[in-house]
Amino acid sequence: MAVTSVDIHVTDEPALAEHARDFAAELKESLPKDFVFGTATSAYQIEGAVREDGRSESIWDRFCAVPGAVFNGDSGEIACDHYHRYPEDIAIIQAMGLRAYRFSIAWPRIIPNGDGVVNERGLDFYDRLVDSLLHVGVQPYVTLFHWDLPQALQDRGGWYSRDTAVVFGDYARVVVDRLGDRVRHWITHNEPWCSSWLGHGYGVHAPGLKDGDAGAVKAAHHILLSHGYAMEAIRAAAPEADAGITIDLYPMFPLHDSEADRGAARRADGQRNRWFLDPVLRGSYPEDMTALLELLPDSAQDDLPRIGAPIDFLGVNYYERQVIRSGPHGEPLQAPKEGPWADNGREIFPDGLRVTVKRLHEDYPIKKLYVTENGIGYHDVIGPDGRIHDSHRTQFLEQHLRAVAAACREDAPVSGYFAWSLMDNFEWSKGYDERERYGLVYVDRSSLERIPKSSGEWYGEVVRSFRS
Ligand code: FCB
């Protein structure tokens, strides 16, 4: 289909363009020639059109309606209206010179009841999206679950129910049957720690349950099991495709080089990182996490072979590190970090990405890695010249890509990097808080106009120069 043409004016800023070209030359010395540069989004954060073409309610629609749950009472009802404006968004991706785009599929559009009847109109949307991307030479990297569970399934227990894991496999089969002739890269889940602990342990994400570790462990186990079922569905429907899972990883740094703080950091790593890495990559839960092990469902041992079946790549989302000190009983406590800080309060710590990737390479049998998300939230503003000069984000991207290059020099198998995010969007419980603008492209909240930021222009120039 024809897409609107979009002007990306990086060459209007010669110094920035030159810097991008020099940086690309530097990256070429360390990154593989076929390194994939992309950008990422997720369905609920950008699509809007929540009641259109047969889409059913998701747990995020329901959660956003709870007073006080989301900043300012915001929701993804309209979001970036990507459902209607996707041709323009694809034109922007094309103009940047990117050849890869990671997005997610909304389960409530495909199987509104969670299981059973398939909604063809939902599939049609993603069919058009995939065709439009391929038409301009952009490879789709498709995530099957980025948190928007059909509410109908939540009403039947959601991730507390083993059945949800089984029907996730059926949903995966439906999607891959339709798109698998064109989509070569599949990601089953995005950040299972967030879905389980934030959604079921602490209640700050949908479905808003505050059931502590007991709830989180149960939900996490069924999510991991559903990853296993989805992998089987992908293997059956698209045997040639590459498939994996995206896990959010936080390197844990002990506050002091003491035995107590090192032990606490190891426990924090067990709960946050190894709890997901070990089952997927080793087929076992970490033995030292005894308190969590006791909370697993009875079926856990029998489920592990399915969860630990081979994947083709691991997706890594990296945002920041954690600094850990020991509490009086050895429990891990977050200690203050040193900065520098972004507007949204996150510490900027690029070397954490190198450390994370290197550690994965050393500790786990991983053939291939993609950094499937990395980015930062700032309160970006339109300057008097009508443009967004977000040099802080350019610097962030540069530092983190340099960390990836350093990891590659240490032999870590990193095949690609996806900047979060293509455009400013609905940042979950933070809503549209101005400090949470993560985009390479600015989105005006009233008109929904897209304006490329200078970081997006710079990133595009880096990517194009890298290839030339
Ligand atoms: C990650 C999420 C993504 C986005 C970024 C900022 O945890 O996967 O959807 O919200 O954080």
Side-chain angles (χ1 to χ4, degrees):
M1 80 174 292
V3 288
T4 8
S5 107
V6 172
D7 194 16
I8 303 257
H9 355 241
V10 71
T11 41
D12 286 3
E13 282 188 68
L16 192 66
E18 192 181 324
H19 172 265
R21 288 192 287 271
D22 289 349
F23 183 54
E26 177 190 325
L27 289 179
K28 273 188 191 179
E29 288 170 19
S30 309
L31 298 181
K33 247 186 148 40
D34 54 356
F35 192 81
V36 174
F37 290 93
T39 185
T41 62
S42 86
Y44 191 72
Q45 294 180 276
I46 63 165
E47 285 179 1
V50 293
R51 279 176 283 277
E52 218 156 305
D53 291 339
R55 178 190 180 278
S56 67
E57 188 187 18
S58 81
I59 56 171
W60 270 94
D61 300 297
R62 181 72 63 98
F63 185 67
C64 289
V66 175
V70 172
F71 172 80
N72 195 35
D74 292 338
S75 80
E77 183 169 356
I78 296 172
C80 303
D81 193 31
H82 170 77
Y83 194 78
H84 300 112
R85 296 171 194 238
Y86 73 91
E88 182 188 350
D89 295 333
I90 292 174
I92 291 172
I93 296 170
Q94 180 193 16
M96 272 196 255
L98 304 182
R99 300 253 170 101
Y101 172 53
R102 173 177 177 241
F103 64 90
S104 80
I105 303 232
W107 189 352
R109 291 197 194 280
I110 309 299
I111 308 186
N113 192 40
D115 64 352
V117 180
V118 174
N119 175 35
E120 292 298 329
R121 287 179 297 165
L123 282 169
D124 291 345
F125 169 69
Y126 295 106
D127 213 72
R128 292 194 296 275
L129 186 63
V130 165
D131 281 346
S132 308
L133 287 164
L134 291 173
H135 182 72
V136 295
V138 177
Q139 286 296 319
Y141 285 65
V142 177
T143 309
L144 289 166
F145 187 82
H146 202 125
W147 307 352
D148 43 358
L149 188 79
Q151 180 63 38
L153 282 179
Q154 187 60 42
D155 295 343
R156 306 204 292 277
W159 291 116
Y160 285 167
S161 162
R162 197 186 163 77
D163 288 348
T164 301
V166 178
V167 298
F168 184 69
D170 300 339
Y171 153 68
R173 181 69 196 240
V174 166
V175 173
V176 181
D177 271 345
R178 180 71 174 264
L179 304 177
D181 56 336
R182 286 152 289 156
V183 173
R184 295 274 167 263
H185 297 89
W186 295 95
I187 295 162
T188 55
H189 273 270
N190 179 71
E191 302 193 349
W193 184 88
C194 290
S195 318
S196 47
W197 258 273
L198 295 183
H200 301 76
Y202 307 137
V204 296
H205 275 189
L209 301 171
K210 296 184 180 149
D211 294 342
D213 285 348
V217 166
K218 198 201 269 187
H221 182 72
H222 291 139
I223 288 169
L224 287 169
L225 179 61
S226 80
H227 152 77
Y229 279 113
M231 285 298 298
E232 286 168 16
I234 299 166
R235 298 287 188 227
E240 306 291 313
D242 268 9
I245 183 170
T246 280
I247 301 182
D248 50 324
L249 296 170
Y250 287 75
M252 302 293 174
F253 290 83
L255 178 62
H256 300 295
D257 190 20
S258 64
E259 206 174 305
D261 285 1
R262 278 199 308 271
R266 170 111 188 120
R267 275 184 287 284
D269 179 58
Q271 194 251 285
R272 187 83 209 224
N273 301 323
R274 289 182 288 122
W275 193 255
F276 296 92
L277 292 169
D278 281 20
V280 170
L281 296 165
R282 294 198 175 129
S284 58
Y285 279 105
E287 273 170 24
D288 58 322
M289 303 307 294
T290 44
L292 296 186
L293 289 170
E294 283 170 17
L295 302 171
L296 281 168
D298 294 341
S299 66
Q301 274 309 321
D302 297 340
D303 294 335
L304 279 165
R306 175 166 271 129
I307 296 172
I311 55 174
D312 301 310
F313 64 84
L314 181 73
V316 175
N317 288 359
Y318 174 73
Y319 285 94
E320 56 185 331
R321 67 165 174 170
Q322 286 183 7
V323 179
I324 301 293
R325 67 182 174 87
S326 170
H329 308 290
E331 69 279 20
L333 299 175
Q334 297 219 22
K337 303 185 207 177
E338 288 160 14
W341 313 95
D343 288 352
N344 69 347
R346 283 189 136 162
E347 189 196 29
I348 298 166
F349 193 76
D351 196 48
L353 179 52
R354 183 192 62 82
V355 169
T356 298
V357 167
K358 184 165 185 251
R359 176 270 174 103
L360 288 169
H361 176 52
E362 285 169 359
D363 292 359
Y364 294 93
I366 295 173
K367 289 176 286 186
K368 201 193 266 193
L369 280 173
Y370 291 100
V371 177
T372 40
E373 282 180 32
N374 174 235
I376 195 71
Y378 279 101
H379 183 171
D380 300 309
V381 290
I382 305 179
D385 58 355
R387 305 184 49 184
I388 296 107
H389 299 276
D390 58 337
S391 52
H392 38 264
R393 183 170 291 97
T394 303
Q395 195 184 25
F396 177 97
L397 294 172
E398 179 183 344
Q399 290 170 336
H400 286 77
L401 280 166
R402 213 166 251 147
V404 171
C408 285
R409 287 197 298 277
E410 292 167 359
D411 292 330
V414 192
S415 298
Y417 174 92
F418 292 75
W420 183 271
S421 178
L422 170 62
M423 57 190 153
D424 299 337
N425 57 43
F426 174 74
E427 182 43 32
W428 307 112
S429 56
K430 312 275 177 57
Y432 302 103
D433 185 330
E434 288 291 334
R435 293 163 297 189
E436 301 288 343
R437 291 182 174 274
Y438 274 85
L440 298 171
V441 173
Y442 182 92
V443 177
D444 180 295
R445 278 311 318 151
S446 354
S447 65
L448 299 183
E449 187 192 349
R450 279 78 161 133
I451 308 169
K453 301 179 190 175
S454 62
S455 63
E457 297 168 347
W458 173 87
Y459 186 56
E461 189 69 19
V462 170
V463 175
R464 291 191 299 270
S465 312
F466 185 87
R467 267 203 309 268
S468 64

